[in-house]
Amino acid sequence: MISELSKSNLKVNSTKQSIIRAFVECRAKTLELFQDMDEATFCLQAHPDFSPVGWHLGHIAYTESLWILERSAGLPCLFPQYNQLYAADGLPKNQRVKLPSLTATRDYLDTIREKVLDCMERTDLQQQEGLWRFLLQHESQHSETISFVLELIRNQQSSDEKENSWHLSYSCSPLLPNPLNEMIQIPAGEFEMGSNSVDALDNERSAHKVYLDTYSIDRYPVTCKQYRVFMEAGSYKNHQWWSEAGWQWLETEKATKPLYWEDNPAWYNHPVWGVSYYEAEAYAKFVGKRLPTEAEWEKAASWDEKSKTRRIYPWGNELPTAEHCNHNNIHNQTTPVNAYPSGQSAYGLYDTLGNVWEWTASWFDAYPGFEYYPYKGYSQVYFDNEHKVLKGGSWATRPWALRSSFRNWYHPGVRQMFAGFRCAA
Ligand code: AVJ
Ligand code: FE
């Protein structure tokens, strides 16, 4: 007979082993992005707001070393020569272009990782589970940023061809009924927002009750076909649809279309992506709707009205698979917004997780009971009314950073990350 005590030891052990497996899997996905990469791409700063992909790779090792080897295990720093380069607050982004080679960076990662796995084997789960889960999500997020930067580079290289492809050769009438226009009504009531789970990041804590009046929300993210109607109407030149801040952004950026726009009917049922908050806001006004608040988005994605419980994922509590949603670079591109019926939320929303991030109307802010973890600069310094919340994850989001309570944040003018939106009313 197995005693209660050894049963709980087994459980602790298998949890630890599953975290270690996740570390290994996540690393394999990160490194996949660097297959056959030349040194020029590795060191290229594609945009002033984004560091080269090679920097992100080194920063992943730096962060593991800092939190597990140095701060937790009290070991001396193994690569002090990299500290200034890879610390988040070490060098301005434009000085992150002289980097160790891909091979040297991989050695750095491997050396740190070997010691990290050693420490994990020797440390109690109870003591460090939160930190390990944080670090897994830290790599997941940088891995996604690497995908953004690579897409940005591809986009810049092909931008001359694309320049000519937006000339309204196909016309889609705004009057055609589109089944993807459907909205779902969410009845008034309380739901639970945020999460206290061990993998919840500081900004998701604490879980708290929120009451919302009845509202409607799009069943699907806004598609390229729908967005094209807005473009066709000359909206990028029409002040009427834009907020003051949005119009200012438009004049500075001289945007005429979404960043990743390709005018091809093959993409029409895919979500629009590469839009700023301002473009999303203007589109919503154009169709007589608005953007959902974060609470409205999260309730529609996670609340199960019947059992009055919160689901971790829209479909329930099983971990995300390729059947549920487009994530983890499985397709390396967007998919049609109605492609994942098994990923629907209890209210019937499609594509809330994966495919594209979705802008919400909410500023990134602290929940009741917020305590920073593991450092102020992770979330707290961004509670500044200058960052909007994005929900749901994209086709490049790792499964460990994919859940309805997960909160991402960017300045409203940023559009390099894979962001689209859905509307509410
Ligand atoms: C939450 C994705 C905006 O990449 O800047 C990574 C996550 N914070 N390392 C970012 C993060 C520290 C963050 N985002
Ligand atoms: Fe980081």
Side-chain angles (χ1 to χ4, degrees):
M1 269 221 27
I2 310 177
S3 72
E4 283 309 309
L5 186 66
S6 54
K7 256 193 223 161
S8 85
N9 274 341
L10 280 176
K11 182 156 178 277
V12 161
N13 260 327
S14 77
T15 305
K16 188 199 270 194
Q17 291 313 316
S18 80
I19 299 174
I20 290 176
R21 266 200 310 278
F23 264 60
V24 173
E25 273 173 45
C26 186
R27 180 57 50 82
K29 291 298 285 188
T30 302
L31 292 176
E32 235 175 62
L33 300 169
F34 290 87
Q35 260 168 26
D36 311 315
M37 188 180 291
D38 54 73
E39 296 290 333
T41 306
F42 191 72
C43 298
L44 180 71
Q45 194 187 21
H47 185 277
D49 293 345
F50 291 87
S51 303
V53 294
W55 181 85
H56 287 280
L57 191 61
H59 169 78
I60 290 168
Y62 165 83
T63 306
E64 268 190 19
S65 169
L66 177 70
W67 290 100
I68 297 191
L69 305 187
E70 297 159 54
R71 299 265 170 104
S72 301
L75 299 171
C77 177
L78 290 171
F79 295 83
Q81 70 274 30
Y82 290 159
N83 281 355
Q84 200 199 9
L85 174 59
Y86 292 127
D89 54 3
L91 290 176
K93 291 198 172 93
N94 61 7
Q95 285 173 39
R96 293 172 174 173
V97 290
K98 276 203 224 113
L99 302 170
S101 68
L102 175 53
T103 315
T105 313
R106 288 200 53 163
D107 281 347
Y108 180 34
L109 285 156
D110 291 348
T111 309
I112 298 295
R113 181 48 76 82
E114 199 190 309
K115 298 246 174 340
V116 161
L117 293 181
D118 230 50
C119 282
M120 290 172 83
E121 291 291 355
R122 284 186 286 104
T123 311
D124 274 355
L125 176 77
Q126 286 91 335
Q127 215 180 312
Q128 300 244 303
E129 185 171 2
L131 182 64
W132 296 343
R133 295 199 185 269
F134 166 80
L135 287 165
L136 181 59
Q137 295 178 65
H138 181 261
E139 176 162 351
S140 295
Q141 291 182 77
H142 279 284
S143 196
E144 176 161 359
T145 307
I146 291 163
S147 284
F148 299 163
V149 174
L150 292 176
E151 189 67 29
L152 193 57
I153 294 171
R154 272 193 290 278
N155 189 56
Q156 287 170 353
Q157 287 167 348
S158 68
S159 72
D160 298 340
E161 296 155 43
K162 279 191 191 160
E163 217 46 65
N164 304 321
S165 75
W166 168 233
H167 46 50
L168 297 170
S169 47
Y170 324 94
S171 177
C172 13
S173 160
L175 299 174
L176 267 181
N178 185 341
L180 301 178
N181 284 334
E182 188 182 340
M183 293 188 93
I184 289 179
Q185 197 180 68
I186 311 291
E190 260 191 356
F191 80 107
E192 195 183 65
M193 189 172 184
S195 165
N196 297 329
S197 153
V198 61
D199 64 345
L201 298 177
D202 61 358
N203 59 62
E204 289 163 83
R205 298 167 185 277
S206 305
H208 55 287
K209 297 239 156 65
V210 174
Y211 173 88
L212 294 177
D213 282 326
T214 304
Y215 63 99
S216 299
I217 188 161
D218 288 344
R219 187 168 197 190
Y220 307 93
V222 171
T223 63
C224 292
K225 182 175 177 179
Q226 291 167 325
Y227 194 83
R228 197 176 188 282
V229 175
F230 169 72
M231 293 168 74
E232 244 182 296
S235 304
Y236 278 81
K237 295 202 179 89
N238 187 348
H239 194 289
Q240 175 179 13
W241 311 122
W242 301 77
S243 62
E244 270 323 304
W247 190 250
Q248 255 184 34
W249 173 85
L250 195 58
E251 294 205 310
T252 316
E253 290 298 310
K254 308 204 176 359
T256 58
K257 58 184 180 187
L259 182 63
Y260 301 119
W261 183 261
E262 250 180 90
D263 203 52
N264 180 340
W267 297 103
Y268 281 179
N269 287 339
H270 290 234
V272 66
W273 59 311
V275 291
S276 67
Y277 175 83
Y278 300 121
E279 288 162 289
E281 182 188 47
Y283 173 90
K285 188 163 182 201
F286 174 79
V287 295
K289 300 182 190 174
R290 58 179 177 79
L291 294 178
T293 62
E294 180 179 15
E296 287 170 336
W297 189 99
E298 193 165 322
K299 181 177 180 182
S302 66
W303 191 240
D304 182 352
E305 187 89 40
K306 278 200 206 95
S307 62
K308 299 259 174 273
T309 53
R310 187 182 75 85
R311 296 177 173 182
I312 301 173
Y313 309 102
W315 53 85
N317 296 328
E318 321 143 46
L319 293 169
T321 66
E323 303 301 307
H324 292 120
C325 61
N326 178 13
H327 70 296
N328 210 17
N329 300 68
I330 294 172
H331 300 289
N332 270 315
Q333 58 172 50
T334 58
T335 44
V337 295
N338 56 359
Y340 290 92
S342 53
Q344 287 177 77
S345 74
Y347 289 116
L349 274 73
Y350 273 73
D351 248 9
T352 46
L353 297 194
N355 220 2
V356 295
W357 287 98
E358 298 180 25
W359 286 107
T360 73
S362 303
W363 294 110
F364 184 52
D365 207 350
Y367 288 162
F370 172 85
E371 282 176 50
Y372 73 79
Y373 181 84
Y375 56 101
K376 266 196 187 150
Y378 185 73
S379 301
Q380 190 172 317
V381 303
Y382 300 98
F383 298 149
D384 57 0
N385 277 359
E386 288 190 31
H387 295 80
K388 290 286 185 182
V389 174
L390 295 112
K391 299 290 277 187
S394 76
W395 55 256
T397 306
R398 302 280 169 249
W400 307 286
L402 201 64
R403 55 184 174 272
S404 304
S405 59
F406 191 94
R407 314 174 74 197
N408 203 349
W409 64 90
Y410 280 97
H411 275 289
V414 180
R415 50 185 201 160
Q416 284 76 17
M417 67 298 180
F418 304 153
F421 60 101
R422 75 181 73 216
C423 300

